[in-house]
Amino acid sequence: MTDDRMLRTSRNLPFTPKEVYSAFASAELLALWWGPDGFTNTFEVFEFTAGGRWKFVMHSPDGADYLNDSFFEELVPDTKIVIHHDCPPNFKLTISLTPEGDGTRLTWEQVFDNAETAHAVKKRAGLANEQNIDRLTTVLREVSN
């Protein structure tokens, strides 16, 4: 049972699954929106293929830098992205894209190694994940205009 180790959020977006998937597949777009409000990113490695690495630094508004090292476990175009975050806090992120009306139902599920880590991260990541999706929506609006 993973419910005690999982953070989940879901939202309808007014974009096609292809448009949402492209915002993950493009390093240039992803760097613009990945992370909570005020964060920026410097990508060192971005190999958007199954098994490919994604290594980057998130820069917080207060000047702190956070190294992130991940790999893409599974990529199903316009449908699913599975990312393993291989540095603390370790987790597996599954992003599912389901057509819904004229848009997409995005489901974001993070599964942590244990319930204690999930609980500790939930205090800050719940809002951060929502901000991340807000930023994704803003970037997609800008590129579709």
Side-chain angles (χ1 to χ4, degrees):
M1 184 107 182
T2 59
D3 282 350
D4 62 339
R5 298 184 298 126
M6 181 184 293
L7 274 76
R8 177 185 293 133
T9 190
S10 191
R11 191 182 305 177
N12 289 336
L13 302 178
F15 308 99
T16 66
K18 182 179 180 91
E19 290 170 315
V20 177
Y21 189 86
S22 72
F24 284 90
S26 164
E28 293 78 21
L29 289 181
L30 186 58
L32 292 174
W33 66 267
W34 188 260
D37 289 345
F39 279 72
T40 59
N41 300 286
T42 302
F43 288 9
E44 296 174 15
V45 178
F46 183 75
E47 303 165 337
F48 195 72
T49 59
R53 288 186 61 223
W54 180 24
K55 185 175 181 180
F56 63 101
V57 178
M58 290 183 74
H59 311 285
S60 74
D62 66 6
D65 289 334
Y66 300 95
L67 179 62
N68 287 264
D69 201 351
S70 302
F71 72 90
F72 297 101
E73 177 183 297
E74 183 180 3
L75 299 172
V76 180
D78 310 336
T79 304
K80 182 163 67 168
I81 300 160
V82 180
I83 301 166
H84 272 268
H85 190 259
D86 282 340
C87 55
N90 295 63
F91 60 86
K92 179 177 173 178
L93 171 62
T94 301
I95 297 140
S96 301
L97 307 173
T98 307
E100 193 163 292
D102 290 340
T104 300
R105 181 77 175 169
L106 178 143
T107 302
W108 184 289
E109 297 179 342
Q110 287 172 279
V111 178
F112 294 87
D113 290 341
N114 57 61
E116 294 78 17
T117 301
H119 181 72
V121 171
K122 187 179 246 182
K123 292 178 183 176
R124 68 178 185 276
L127 177 59
N129 288 345
E130 292 296 331
Q131 291 174 354
N132 212 355
I133 297 169
D134 290 343
R135 293 179 71 191
L136 164 63
T137 301
T138 299
V139 165
L140 284 172
R141 278 193 183 114
E142 289 171 0
V143 298
S144 66
N145 289 332

